[in-house]
Amino acid sequence: MGIDSSLQQRPQTELPFAVVKGQPMTDPPADLYIPPDALEVFLDAFEGPLDLLLYLIKRQNLDILTLPILQITQQYMEYIKLMRELRLELAAEYLLMAATLAEIKSHMLLPKPVAGHDEEDPRSELVRRLQEYARFKTAATQINELPRMYRDIFNVSVIQSECEYERPKPDIDLTEMLHALREVVQRARMFASHHIRREPLSVRDRMSRILRILNIEDFVEFNRFFNADEGRGGVIVTFIALLELVKGRVIKLVQSEPFAPIYVKPAVKGPLEREDD
Amino acid sequence: MRDTQIKRIIEAALMAADTALGISHLLRLFEPDAEKPTHEQIKKAITVLQEECKDRGIELRRVASGYRYQTCSDVQPWVARLWQEKPPRYSRALLETLSLIIYRQPVARGEIEQVRGVSVSSHIIKTLLEREWIRVIGHKEVPGRPALYGSTKQFLDYFNLQSLHELPDLAELAGTDQFRLDTPAYPELDLPEPEEDSKIHLRVVTDSG
Amino acid sequence: MRDTQIKRIIEAALMAADTALGISHLLRLFEPDAEKPTHEQIKKAITVLQEECKDRGIELRRVASGYRYQTCSDVQPWVARLWQEKPPRYSRALLETLSLIIYRQPVARGEIEQVRGVSVSSHIIKTLLEREWIRVIGHKEVPGRPALYGSTKQFLDYFNLQSLHELPDLAELAGTDQFRLDTPAYPELDLPEPEEDSKIHLRVVTDSG
């Protein structure tokens, strides 16, 4: 069982655990001198505690089967400690693994039971899990390397000769579309955080119409959007649509001086980006 | 680059593209390469590819916007049966995306993704744009300047609607009793008849003296 | 019908179709004809067509749901320039979840979480379902009746496979008995996917002499 004595002798502070902007860091920061984002990025790089453990093992070319549990536990705890000091939100799985490691460690330190009684190595379950996870990790890498449609290979699609007939386009009917909408709305309701407000279509419709006008003319006087024939309801709908568009940073209202006419213009000038994006 | 390789690349590109490609477009495919083929080399490759189509079921034709492969008209009766048998259908993802664009317009792709919980493929947006059921009607002034999509007249025509108001309200669709995610934002704002007890009192002064 | 004509029709049909076509599907194209080709004739035509692709930029490949023409992967760098858009990249979490579903199917979410040691986000499952790479193939008879997932033909088609047997054996992936951690299991793991312009350079030194 490999207890790395050098590691134990070495004072904690001499172990640079990170290099930030080229500066080796030997101290867990008392203040937030590692940008917490950096550690979050680092933590994000791992798919969980098993992944982090595999990384630690691999970094030192350790043999997984004779897992030097003390060494690994110490390093793992160091990361955890750092994360907590930075008050990063740490997934529960990481803490659970810390507990598992501590438990294995304490088992290892206990005197071996009397000969004849074949007790399982306390590390074996963790070793098995690490091996299993590593296999799927490799499998994932291999799947990623397979020639893939639209990345490595492309479908051949030859146009049909024009003389006969055009290839039919799929047909849909309205109920089908409304059904799809109902489902997506009901699904969205399951996420408490998403709000599909009960908005009459009239406001959304009006928002689109305003934008269409602004597509043709860049600069339109505020009053022109209001049509007295639509009555009070129409005026309100238009007004709310304009407010929504301002709030959504889609349009801007401009006025050269107090009491001067108000103009409406698109917040973004022209389609600067690809339209199909 | 050897002529065979140029020819292979041009063949693959013309076969994979869904529009005809002009020679200048084909030249651009080699843009980043150290060794670029000349205009003449491309032309020559196309001529060879055209000759290779002899006795085959497809041909490489020159049309107004460039070159494209197409099926020979004499085999068309058989090829057309591909679609007679199974009319093409749109995916669920496309229908959901379309319905969200209709009901949430003007809407950016990100908002659709938020509601659906999955990313919206560009292919879907492209299909809807090509069908002219949606179009870009503006841009949001946030980083990336995302496009805002809205419905078109062609959409209304296709579904035989006079206006969007003929569509049922979202609340009705989802069943009013259970659909209470949020306080109704504009409960009283249903055109054309606003209810009398409207909470919003708004007077628009169009001509202030 | 002469063999050349059969071959021409099949070539045109496979090239015009946007999905792979099986032999029975191809046979049905000749259904209304007085003189129908046999299964063997179709097969033979396909073999000839495959041979004709030698030295060309496209190939006729057999995948799970049939035969399809596709561009050769070695011309990918040029063909990909036809589109401005980059193909989607999939996260490690998604690929690991996918590989677990492929190798362990039918598998419930809980088992995936057990192996990976972290919870599986709904977003990933939803994305995989929507891409139709996986599907629900049953439910586990335990409380909550969790869904069991399996892979689909579309997954095989998308990844250029004819069957799951073409995937490497899981046991071979990392020899169970002699597990060597220096196998390149972490191809990208020197801080995977740091952003190009990331201002932070963080290197974790776990063992300095």
Side-chain angles (χ1 to χ4, degrees), chain B residues 17 31 68 74-75 92 97 99 112 158 172 191 195 204:
Chain B
E31 198 70 49
R68 73 171 184 213
D74 70 305
V75 297
R92 174 121 230 133
T97 306
S99 67
I112 303 169
Y158 184 89
E172 279 167 44
L191 264 187
E195 284 166 32
V204 175

Side-chain angles (χ1 to χ4, degrees), chain A residues 199-217:
Chain A
E199 265 168 352
L201 199 46
S202 52
V203 174
R204 311 301 310 190
D205 183 26
R206 190 59 54 105
M207 286 163 75
S208 283
R209 276 201 248 166
I210 291 167
L211 287 181
R212 270 183 224 115
I213 293 169
L214 287 172
N215 267 342
I216 303 163
E217 296 170 71

Side-chain angles (χ1 to χ4, degrees), chain B residues 10 13-14 21-30 42 46 67:
Chain B
I10 292 183
L14 287 170
L21 302 176
I23 291 187
S24 58
H25 196 155
L26 288 167
L27 268 171
R28 278 205 300 278
L29 300 181
F30 300 90
I42 304 264
I46 289 175
Y67 295 89

Side-chain angles (χ1 to χ4, degrees), chain C residues 143-207:
Chain C
R145 304 191 75 241
L148 290 167
Y149 300 102
S151 65
T152 62
K153 253 189 191 175
Q154 284 89 333
F155 159 77
L156 294 169
D157 286 351
Y158 199 90
F159 287 88
N160 205 30
L161 297 168
Q162 199 180 318
S163 85
L164 287 175
H165 301 295
E166 285 177 49
L167 287 171
D169 218 37
L170 197 55
E172 278 166 30
L173 282 181
T176 344
D177 44 342
Q178 246 319 324
F179 187 80
R180 305 285 303 168
L181 275 158
D182 40 345
T183 47
Y186 305 86
E188 76 280 36
L189 244 191
D190 263 322
L191 267 203
E193 319 206 8
E195 281 161 32
E196 280 303 301
D197 54 347
S198 165
K199 270 159 262 142
I200 298 145
H201 297 284
L202 180 97
R203 199 157 50 91
V204 172
V205 185
T206 46
D207 198 17

Side-chain angles (χ1 to χ4, degrees), chain A residues 7 10 14-22 34-35 37-39 41-42 45-51 53-65 71 75 79 91 93-94 129-160 167 187 191 274 276-277, chain C residues 14-19 58-59 68-73 76 79-80 83-85 87-90 92-93 95-96 98-100 102-104 114-119 122 126 131 133 155 157-161 167-168 170-171 173-174 176-179 181-183 185-187 189-192 194 199-209:
Chain A
L7 190 94
R10 192 162 51 204
E14 272 181 25
L15 182 74
F17 56 83
V19 178
V20 174
K21 293 179 182 169
I34 295 188
D37 306 3
L39 271 159
V41 167
F42 179 75
F46 295 103
E47 292 296 326
L50 290 174
D51 201 21
L53 279 177
L54 280 179
Y55 172 82
L56 295 176
I57 293 166
K58 195 229 161 190
R59 269 281 156 157
Q60 300 161 89
N61 274 318
L62 298 175
D63 187 353
I64 197 173
L65 291 178
Q71 196 175 339
Q75 290 177 8
Y79 282 102
E93 293 99 350
Y94 283 95
R129 286 184 66 193
L130 284 169
Q131 284 176 323
E132 186 178 43
Y133 176 64
R135 266 200 298 276
F136 283 107
K137 223 164 114 66
T138 316
T141 313
Q142 298 215 349
I143 285 176
N144 194 31
E145 281 163 8
L146 289 171
R148 191 193 296 171
M149 287 293 274
Y150 311 116
R151 187 188 69 179
D152 311 296
I153 49 178
F154 302 90
N155 195 26
V156 163
S157 68
V158 163
I159 291 168
Q160 293 189 63
R167 166 153 187 206
R187 249 190 293 131
F191 309 92
R274 281 176 294 130
D276 60 342
D277 200 336
Chain C
L14 285 172
M15 287 216 172
D18 32 34
T19 53
I58 55 163
E59 57 180 343
R68 80 170 171 221
Y69 275 105
Q70 59 190 42
T71 59
C72 296
S73 50
Q76 178 273 340
V79 178
W83 298 278
Q84 282 188 308
E85 212 168 323
R89 291 194 58 197
Y90 295 101
R92 272 180 54 205
L95 290 165
E96 286 180 17
L98 176 64
S99 71
L100 265 151
I102 303 301
Y103 280 96
R104 277 282 170 85
Q114 237 166 38
V115 173
R116 296 192 59 237
V118 275
S119 58
S122 302
K126 242 191 280 179
R131 304 243 50 181
W133 291 349
F155 159 77
D157 286 351
Y158 199 90
F159 287 88
N160 205 30
L161 297 168
L167 287 171
L170 197 55
L173 282 181
T176 344
D177 44 342
Q178 246 319 324
F179 187 80
L181 275 158
D182 40 345
T183 47
Y186 305 86
L189 244 191
D190 263 322
L191 267 203
K199 270 159 262 142
I200 298 145
H201 297 284
L202 180 97
R203 199 157 50 91
V204 172
V205 185
T206 46
D207 198 17
S208 64

